[in-house]
Amino acid sequence: MSAPPASLIPRPLLFWTGVALTCAGVAEHLWMFIDSASMHFHMSMMDMSPAMMWAAMAAIVAGVVLSGIAVVPPRTSTPAPAPAPGAATAASRRRLIAILSFALLVDQMKPATLAFISPGLRAEYGLSAAEVSWLPTVALTGTVLGSLIWGRAADRIGRRATILIASLLFLGTTVCGAMPTFGGTLLMCALMGMAAGGMLPVVYALMTESLPPGRRAAIMVLQAGLTTTGGYMAASGLAAVLIPLAGWRVTWFAQLPLVLILIALNRWIPESAAFTARQTRTAKVPASALFKRPQTAKTLVVSAYALAWGLVYWGFITFLPSQLESAGQHGMSAATLLFISSLLAIPTCALGAWLYIRWSARGTMVVYAALTVAALLTLAAVGLDGSRPILLATVMLLFAGTAGVIALIGPYTAEIYPTAIRGTAGGWAAAVGKSGGAFGPPLIALILSAPGGIRTAAMFVALPMALAGLAVAVRGSNPQAAAQTPEGTTSLDAELDELVSSEGVAAQTTATTHLPGNGGTAT
């Protein structure tokens, strides 16, 4: 097998210098953590050298910035020609799938860890329940911003460069485990959220452009569901083993080897050939193209589907464990619910992947939206006072529906948008879904205090999910429209070229083709 190209990173010396600086800063924080063993790893009470800590933080910031600059393609460079369609082998594709799945696994572990560190963090800093609730809020707000920023960056500097920058942020934010104050922890979690928010849509864009049509969609749906489950299980396993030994902080440092492995694997993450070919065109498509014809209907449908999921998952399901425990007689703990949701994701995503490719992409999305709505309406009808078998079946149906929705939305979005705005679109969809973490919990908490409680809340979140499913059924796009034509272009890219031409996005380029003196254009 031929060796990978040596020029995958434009400035390799600068890149590895930045990685070394970042590692040095993280290592200093790790040493501070190890030094706190005599205090049961309670660093909030530890006497630390401010100069050393600030120097370590400066090294991390400088390292991330230098490495980020190193991976951005130079503006003056001529884009490399796209490789021939047959250049990628089956072995290289399988390797790419494995590496990107590992990237998503590491990505999912970051936010999943928040659920396991809250009790220890609250005890060490002496926080109230209201104060500690800022942790997931800040982290999820970071994911919203990260989805928007890195999704757009993927369309400007490349899929590969964006994945590397997100990985570098993962590396730097492992020092969240050494912050001596709650404010510092919040800042690191916000940055961690920004990195996590950007990885998902960029990976889906690269997968869509690197794998041939056919089983590509099924692979991406399976990947989306299984890495979410695997990330949660890995985070919970690390927490179960390590927190009793070294406290909550160790869960962040335990992920450091995984991030270093991900960065080391970068040489086998190629840039998308479709993105490279697109870069030979001088016209740059703005993010506003998402909301201009012919993309408007797609964006509205995807936004409605993502927002409905975010409201159900981050809003309603967040309160469901505590509501079930307060009901008492069913004996269903929060841990049981989380375990059920993790197990259900596996068969749910496998079935969704099969239906997506063998039957209908839109139809599969509608089915999973309908399952979610059916479960919510059942809860609205029986409340938490129904028989245990009915309640258990309803909760399982709810988790199955929402697991399918989140597994489908990312791959679907990546497949229905043109190459030039695929990352932007994926980032937008991810940001809209995760925004449910910002406004969903307080909104549902307010509804739960109203007459009807959980029944009213279930009805409230069922409505947008039903409307989103209807929107997909009526106006959803067909992912098969992205199939390659014999000429090597796609109908999606043809749509975008029409948009660029009609909206004047390429006005500057057009102006340069005018012939002097006659006002005509070159042909």
Side-chain angles (χ1 to χ4, degrees), residues 290-291 295-305 417 471:
L290 291 180
F291 302 95
Q295 314 301 327
T296 311
K298 298 176 187 176
T299 302
L300 292 177
V301 168
V302 165
S303 299
Y305 202 74
Y417 280 92

Side-chain angles (χ1 to χ4, degrees), residues 334-352:
T336 302
L337 284 175
L338 291 172
F339 182 70
I340 290 173
S341 68
S342 297
L343 289 182
L344 276 181
I346 298 173
T348 295
C349 295
L351 178 60

Side-chain angles (χ1 to χ4, degrees), residues 415-448:
E415 285 206 300
I416 65 172
Y417 280 92
T419 302
I421 55 170
R422 183 169 285 139
T424 304
W428 171 261
V432 170
K434 291 165 185 173
S435 67
F439 69 86
L443 179 61
I444 299 302
L446 181 64
I447 295 173
L448 288 172

Side-chain angles (χ1 to χ4, degrees), residues 95-111 159-160 162-168 170 195-204 206-207 223-224 226-228 230-231 255 258-266 268-269:
R95 183 172 58 200
L96 179 63
I97 293 169
I99 293 173
L100 293 182
S101 297
F102 178 71
L104 289 182
L105 184 72
V106 175
D107 175 83
Q108 294 296 332
M109 287 179 66
K110 294 288 184 177
R159 284 71 162 115
R160 184 176 189 276
T162 307
I163 290 173
L164 275 173
I165 294 174
S167 301
L168 292 166
F170 282 159
M199 185 69 78
L200 228 107
V202 182
V203 166
Y204 292 148
L206 183 55
M207 289 279 290
Q223 184 186 53
L226 298 183
T227 54
T228 299
Q255 298 175 27
L258 301 178
V259 179
L260 291 174
I261 291 172
L262 178 58
I263 293 174
L265 291 172
N266 82 84
W268 290 290
I269 302 177

